[in-house]
Amino acid sequence: MTKSPVWLSERVQWIGALDSTMRSFDIILKTPNGTTYNAYAVRGSEGVAVIDTVKAECAEQFFEHLEAIARYDEIKVIVLNHLEPDHTGALPELMRRAPQAKLYISQSAQIMIKALLNQQDVDYISVGTGDTISLGDRTLKFLHTPYLHWPDTQCTYLEEECILFSGDVFGCHFCDERLFNDRVGDFRFAFEYYYAHIMRPFREHVINALELIAPLPINIIAPTHGPILRDKPTSYIQRYRELSGQRLQSEVNADEKTLLIFYISAYGSTSQMAQMIRNGAEQVPGVRASLYDMEGGDSDLFVDLVEDADGILIGSPTINGDAVKPAWDLVSSFAKINVKGKLAGAFGSFGWSGEAVRMLEDRMRGLKMRLPLEGVRIKLIPSSDELDQCRRYGQEAGEHLMGVNAPRVLDMADLLASRKQLSN
Amino acid sequence: MAKAKVTFSDVNVTVNVSVGTRIIEISEAVGSYIAYNCREGDCGVCLFEVIKGKENMSAISKEEKAVLLARYQEIMDGWRATTDIDALQAKMQRENFIGKNCRLACQTQVFGDVVVAPL
């Protein structure tokens, strides 16, 4: 464990903390190597800026490093690129020790900072793209890069040295006291894994941020977790560009919308429904519908398709009062990507209770997908009338996708009551 | 209880609701394209456009105004290139963005007929 600060340049030091024993981060991430909480200090001719802090449990390391390179009364500026507790744990104590330091946060962090510190009258300055702070002969410039991976996230750029303090962007959970990417062990898997689990759900925001970063000359990328990227830093930007782009060129035309119909069937009834729904959707000009039997694939494969799709329908029979596991596995995998605002629906045949459809609908509504239609539930074998109902459901879903659905007038009370009744 | 008509022009749906209902509760139930996230006025995702009936909506709070301002910076094309935040904010005020055409769905209650759409 390093006990001294590490120099990035004559004026910039790493003052973070190493956490080599941590194996499970934020519940959802595994790490075989622990992680680091990277914080930095920048010394200008007119004062010192501290950029981010560390997790509360690691505060001792952070203050030890900070004290080795600056006095508290020299600290003029505290920049928070991201307010999550693993970077703000040492903040209250830092504010106590350096009360004169001004706090700089993004515009979108203003409500969060009050909740974080549990005080209403926090003294801070909110900044956005283009705002700068002068430290005399050193200048910090802010980039508004929201949703990477919280609403409040931003990057800070040290102009004179072309160092980008990127927050969690370009970070990874990998603890190696050698710190720099050209010195540490092979951490490539950790970089990719971190992108896939932390940044991927915010793909559009990643693309926006890369556009903002692209024009800047970059010598070093200094993220809040994992190795400091000083060797070929732009190759990591390039890798983000590839990861946030499409995997394979899509064969769908720009004026078409895609509807993916996933189903699984015990006796063929839900499968028959899926086929009819597809036929109905295909009647709507511009809809490109595809059918997938969940029995023949798994959610790791399907989630890539869902990421690029406009609409998703899931068909599941009801077994023991629930949708079946492959359907839930698929819906669980949606947490890895962004499904907000995609059209969604559910359907299925059942023997005697039939809860699966409403349960899937509620879950997808909970994931902020759009569910404009009530899904079709059919008892046992679909009759020809019921198959026609499936065809109409597919057609209406297609019309919603293309924005050509007929006007409707509904009553709020009915809307809520029908949902409640059917899920009971 | 008094009723209001809320029309979502993107999905072509009109809903009769009790006055005081929040836009987000209705938009979620009908599957409108108005996106949402935190539901408590923090993230600004549920921004929507008021097409008709802004006078039939609850007043805009100081907190909602601050979030709207932050969101406009992201949305307005110039935000990525601009270096002058004051000028951008002045421009937004001038163009009457705040509290006039746009609101947050999780904060806005309806008290009469309105027509709304995603931004």
Side-chain angles (χ1 to χ4, degrees):
Chain A
M1 203 170 275
T2 52
K3 281 291 178 195
S4 53
V6 176
W7 264 250
L8 274 70
S9 77
E10 194 197 325
R11 302 292 198 85
V12 182
Q13 287 99 11
W14 175 87
I15 52 168
L18 304 175
D19 187 354
S20 59
T21 56
M22 197 253 286
R23 291 292 171 266
S24 163
F25 192 88
D26 266 7
I27 308 161
I28 60 164
L29 293 181
K30 295 273 177 214
T31 164
N33 306 76
T35 193
T36 65
Y37 307 99
N38 299 335
Y40 303 92
V42 177
R43 180 176 285 279
S45 56
E46 288 168 16
V48 170
V50 172
I51 300 178
D52 295 312
T53 76
V54 302
K55 194 176 169 181
E57 289 80 352
C58 300
E60 205 181 314
Q61 286 186 63
F62 167 76
F63 287 114
E64 204 173 307
H65 293 157
L66 179 56
E67 283 166 18
I69 54 109
R71 295 189 320 270
Y72 289 110
D73 64 9
E74 291 180 304
I75 302 170
K76 187 180 163 190
V77 164
I78 301 169
V79 174
L80 302 175
N81 284 327
H82 177 26
L83 266 56
E84 203 172 354
D86 55 330
H87 307 297
T88 49
L91 177 67
E93 181 59 20
L94 178 62
M95 289 167 75
R96 203 184 60 75
R97 296 188 190 186
Q100 76 290 345
K102 284 262 177 280
L103 210 53
Y104 289 80
I105 59 173
S106 76
Q107 308 264 357
S108 321
Q110 301 179 65
I111 297 171
M112 270 183 203
I113 189 83
K114 293 173 188 168
L116 183 81
L117 299 172
N118 276 327
Q119 90 191 55
Q120 279 307 308
D121 55 344
V122 185
D123 188 17
Y124 62 78
I125 296 166
S126 69
V127 287
T129 298
D131 283 346
T132 56
I133 324 172
S134 172
L135 300 169
D137 59 358
R138 290 291 181 276
T139 313
L140 297 173
K141 192 169 173 176
F142 298 99
L143 306 175
H144 184 56
T145 54
Y147 293 100
L148 300 176
H149 58 122
W150 274 20
D152 64 305
T153 51
Q154 64 175 355
C155 296
T156 304
Y157 181 65
L158 176 57
E159 273 184 331
E160 291 80 3
E161 309 201 24
C162 303
I163 298 177
L164 182 71
F165 300 100
S166 58
D168 281 349
V169 185
F170 307 118
C172 63
H173 293 309
F174 190 85
C175 179
D176 187 319
E177 74 289 352
R178 292 167 292 188
L179 272 181
F180 293 101
N181 64 331
D182 52 327
R183 303 275 308 283
V184 300
D186 194 336
F187 68 101
R188 288 175 296 176
F189 74 100
F191 187 85
E192 306 259 320
Y193 178 80
Y194 192 87
Y195 176 89
H197 288 82
I198 298 292
M199 296 298 160
R200 185 178 176 185
F202 305 99
R203 189 168 77 159
E204 282 78 16
H205 297 284
V206 170
I207 294 167
N208 287 343
L210 291 176
E211 212 176 290
L212 199 58
I213 292 166
L216 304 174
I218 305 250
N219 288 337
I220 301 175
I221 296 174
T224 43
H225 293 292
I228 298 166
L229 310 170
R230 68 176 178 190
D231 182 47
K232 303 184 194 72
T234 51
S235 66
Y236 295 88
I237 298 177
Q238 179 54 30
R239 186 65 189 135
Y240 258 51
R241 205 168 273 132
E242 289 159 12
L243 291 167
S244 60
Q246 283 194 339
R247 278 163 298 282
L248 185 65
Q249 172 203 314
S250 168
E251 296 294 347
V252 176
N253 301 325
D255 55 354
E256 289 180 314
K257 301 266 186 196
T258 53
L259 181 67
L260 309 186
I261 304 165
F262 295 97
Y263 67 93
I264 191 159
S265 197
Y267 294 101
S269 296
T270 302
S271 157
Q272 253 185 299
M273 292 175 73
Q275 185 64 52
M276 285 308 285
I277 291 169
R278 191 194 89 115
N279 294 352
E282 282 286 321
Q283 288 177 336
V284 182
V287 173
R288 191 82 83 89
S290 319
L291 272 181
Y292 303 95
D293 186 341
M294 291 185 280
E295 209 168 346
D298 61 36
S299 58
D300 282 347
L301 180 74
F302 294 140
V303 74
D304 290 348
L305 302 176
V306 172
E307 187 171 30
D308 283 344
D310 300 301
I312 292 104
L313 304 178
I314 301 179
S316 170
T318 298
I319 297 181
N320 290 337
D322 197 357
V324 296
K325 188 168 181 295
W328 287 126
D329 286 347
L330 179 63
V331 178
S332 301
S333 75
F334 292 176
K336 295 180 193 165
I337 56 171
N338 179 15
V339 291
K340 283 188 200 87
K342 288 188 197 289
L343 181 122
F347 60 93
S349 153
F350 61 94
W352 43 283
S353 61
E355 294 89 341
V357 174
R358 301 300 166 235
M359 291 170 104
L360 286 168
E361 285 178 339
D362 281 347
R363 181 74 192 108
M364 290 194 282
R365 200 175 283 114
L367 290 170
K368 292 141 187 154
M369 301 177 84
R370 302 192 309 114
L371 286 92
L373 298 169
E374 207 161 82
V376 188
R377 301 158 69 244
I378 290 173
K379 197 169 173 76
L380 288 165
I381 315 296
S383 67
S384 63
D385 276 358
E386 286 169 332
L387 284 176
D388 199 49
Q389 193 191 342
C390 291
R391 191 196 49 73
R392 279 201 309 278
Y393 173 70
Q395 186 181 341
E396 283 175 29
E399 286 168 355
H400 267 282
L401 210 50
M402 298 310 294
V404 295
N405 52 298
R408 284 185 303 162
V409 178
L410 305 165
D411 209 78
M412 189 71 187
D414 293 344
L415 260 177
L416 296 177
S418 73
R419 224 202 278 168
K420 203 168 176 192
Q421 192 186 355
L422 284 161
S423 65
N424 283 341
Chain B
M1 194 186 253
K3 291 281 181 184
K5 277 192 199 334
V6 180
T7 301
F8 295 87
S9 64
D10 61 324
V11 286
N12 232 344
V13 174
T14 301
V15 189
N16 299 312
V17 303
S18 302
V19 296
T21 310
R22 281 174 202 276
I23 293 286
I24 195 166
E25 298 167 43
I26 322 163
S27 64
E28 186 190 14
V30 301
S32 156
Y33 276 95
I34 296 172
Y36 64 100
N37 209 348
C38 73
R39 308 187 76 115
E40 46 190 40
D42 208 344
C43 72
V45 167
C46 63
L47 195 71
F48 70 95
E49 190 183 354
V50 183
I51 295 172
K52 252 188 224 162
K54 66 173 190 288
E55 65 286 1
N56 291 333
M57 294 177 167
S58 53
I60 188 163
S61 68
K62 211 174 90 207
E63 289 76 16
E64 185 180 348
K65 192 171 169 174
V67 175
L68 285 174
L69 199 66
R71 282 288 279 143
Y72 284 131
Q73 272 173 253
E74 292 163 32
I75 290 160
M76 291 191 63
D77 260 357
W79 73 269
R80 272 176 235 162
T82 190
T83 53
D84 187 347
I85 293 298
D86 289 342
L88 178 63
Q89 290 184 354
K91 178 174 155 62
M92 291 188 299
Q93 301 276 10
R94 231 183 3 258
E95 294 181 6
N96 288 331
F97 262 112
I98 291 156
K100 275 210 153 177
N101 299 322
C102 293
R103 296 292 303 268
L104 297 180
C106 68
Q107 301 298 302
T108 308
Q109 293 169 280
V110 290
F111 294 106
D113 296 355
V114 298
V115 179
V116 301
L119 196 70

